[in-house]
């Protein structure tokens, strides 16, 4: 099924950066809501032919867990707009729970959407980009890849792998004319981590309020990522306090341990008072 060639923007005034994106075909996984939807809207305002690939209602229905779905979605886009110039691997889910309570299905679900979904997009667009000697792929990771979030272990694992994927591929792809970029997002107001429910009654907002670092709005985050894409930054990190925190945690491992220990305390503080420490049985 083809696409309507007219994809309207949000009505906001396009900024002077429009020339870089004008007329380019952009495929965004997970573009139906949250950060992906904001990124999609801003790209359209800048003149891009930006299309969402999402299991939720959107431009092209696509389950990123399956390579065949992603390849079919990319074919649909290319039949309407031509080759994909920029691909953004954004689709992700999160899960907050003690790791010993997680089933194999929990692990599979998070890793399949977050990591396999990114790899499936890569496999669907990268060979054609290499053949053309042009293209750009953005991998959306998280600060969890740098610090690690206790009780969000599958999510942190998937994002750590994505960050390494982007770092490993960038130099290789540059020799072939393809740009590889990485963004490690902070906690976003209205983003994935603030909108995902915990599985075990945890007061998730109370837990997230203890996550160090200032919050960033979806609109500002999308703007900074778009600027990073245009500048072809290897790694896009914001706000500046996060950049400093990551450097300090790498340079002083005990600081990183202290941050994670604080998150463990925060998780236990956010538990329902009536629930026992280990009353939730594993699903396996």
């Amino acid at each position: 099924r083809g696409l309507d060639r007219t994809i309207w923007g949000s009505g906001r005034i396009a900024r002077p950066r429009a020339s870089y994106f004008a007329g380019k075909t952009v495929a965004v996984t997970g573009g139906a809501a949250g950060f992906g939807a904001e990124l999609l809207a801003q790209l359209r305002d800048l003149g891009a032919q930006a299309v969402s690939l999402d299991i939720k209602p959107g431009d092209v229905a696509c389950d990123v867990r399956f390579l065949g779905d992603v390849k079919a979605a990319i074919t649909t886009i290319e039949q309407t707009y031509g080759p994909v110039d920029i691909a953004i691997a954004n689709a992700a889910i999160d899960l907050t729970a003690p790791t010993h309570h997680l089933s194999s299905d929990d692990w599979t679900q998070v890793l399949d959407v977050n990591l396999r979904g990114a790899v499936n997009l890569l496999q669907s667009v990268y060979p054609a980009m290499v053949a053309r000697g042009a293209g750009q792929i953005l991998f959306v990771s998280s600060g969890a890849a740098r610090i690690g979030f206790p009780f969000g272990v599958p999510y942190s694992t998937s994002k750590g792998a994505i960050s390494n994927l982007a770092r490993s591929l960038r130099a290789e792809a540059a020799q072939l004319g393809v740009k590889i970029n990485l963004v490690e997002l902070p906690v976003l107001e209205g983003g994935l981590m603030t909108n995902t429910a915990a599985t075990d009654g945890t007061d998730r907002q109370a837990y997230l309020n203890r996550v160090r670092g200032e919050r960033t709005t979806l609109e500002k985050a999308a703007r900074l990522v778009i600027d990073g894409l245009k500048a072809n930054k290897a790694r896009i990190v914001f706000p500046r306090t996060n950049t400093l925190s990551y450097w300090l945690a790498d340079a002083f491992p005990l600081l990183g341990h202290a941050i994670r220990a604080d998150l463990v305390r925060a998780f236990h503080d956010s538990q329902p008072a009536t629930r026992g420490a280990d009353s939730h049985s594993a699903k396996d």
Side-chain angles (χ1 to χ4, degrees):
R1 184 166 60 92
L3 292 171
D4 180 348
R5 293 187 63 87
T6 303
I7 295 183
W8 298 101
S10 65
R12 289 173 292 199
I13 298 174
R15 293 174 288 276
R17 299 169 294 157
S19 58
Y20 181 80
F21 298 98
K24 288 190 176 180
T25 300
V26 184
V28 183
T29 63
F35 174 71
E38 179 62 32
L39 193 59
L40 204 72
Q42 290 196 28
L43 286 166
R44 289 172 178 172
D45 285 345
L46 294 169
Q49 298 171 137
V51 184
S52 168
L53 288 68
D54 205 305
I55 198 169
K56 299 175 183 176
D59 299 322
V60 180
C62 176
D63 189 335
V64 298
R65 297 175 299 170
F66 304 107
L67 180 60
D69 257 35
V70 181
K71 284 188 172 182
I74 293 299
T75 297
T76 298
I77 293 171
E78 291 181 336
Q79 287 173 345
T80 306
Y81 300 109
V84 171
D85 299 296
I86 302 173
I88 300 176
N90 169 70
I93 59 173
D94 189 18
L95 178 63
T96 299
T99 304
H100 62 288
H101 292 165
L102 298 176
S103 69
S104 59
D105 285 345
D106 291 329
W107 275 94
T108 297
Q109 184 181 23
V110 174
L111 294 177
D112 275 1
V113 173
N114 297 7
L115 179 55
R116 187 179 296 277
V119 173
N120 286 344
L121 181 64
L122 173 69
Q123 289 187 288
S124 299
V125 300
Y126 184 59
M129 290 180 175
V130 170
R132 296 195 308 270
Q136 189 167 14
I137 303 173
L138 170 68
F139 292 96
V140 179
S141 185
S142 163
R146 301 295 301 277
I147 298 297
F149 282 174
F151 306 102
V153 175
Y155 178 81
S156 297
T157 300
S158 68
K159 292 302 184 180
I162 288 172
S163 290
N164 276 308
L165 189 166
R167 281 192 287 265
S168 301
L169 183 59
R170 181 174 169 89
E172 176 186 337
Q175 302 300 311
L176 302 169
V178 181
K179 301 173 183 176
I180 302 296
N181 311 102
L182 169 69
V183 57
E184 291 176 332
L185 291 175
V187 176
L188 303 178
E189 294 293 351
L192 173 68
M193 295 189 71
T194 56
N195 283 340
T196 306
T199 62
D200 59 354
T202 301
D203 183 346
R204 187 177 176 82
Q205 194 57 55
Y207 174 59
L208 288 174
N209 284 342
R210 294 275 288 274
V211 176
R212 297 177 185 272
E214 63 186 88
R215 301 293 189 267
T216 305
T217 65
L218 293 176
E219 183 175 359
K220 182 177 180 180
R223 175 172 54 81
L224 291 171
V225 167
I226 287 170
D227 286 343
L229 275 174
K230 182 178 177 182
N232 190 28
K233 288 187 176 180
R235 185 165 67 96
I236 305 163
V237 178
F238 54 86
R240 291 182 179 178
T241 52
N242 280 32
T243 305
L244 178 61
S245 295
Y246 299 158
W247 183 86
L248 289 172
D250 287 342
F252 304 99
L254 286 178
L255 176 60
H257 176 74
I259 293 172
R260 288 184 288 274
D262 185 58
L263 288 173
V264 169
R265 288 189 293 271
F267 180 85
H268 289 305
D269 290 347
S270 65
Q271 297 302 287
T274 58
R275 203 189 75 189
D278 207 19
S279 63
H280 184 86
S281 61
K283 296 179 183 177
D284 277 345

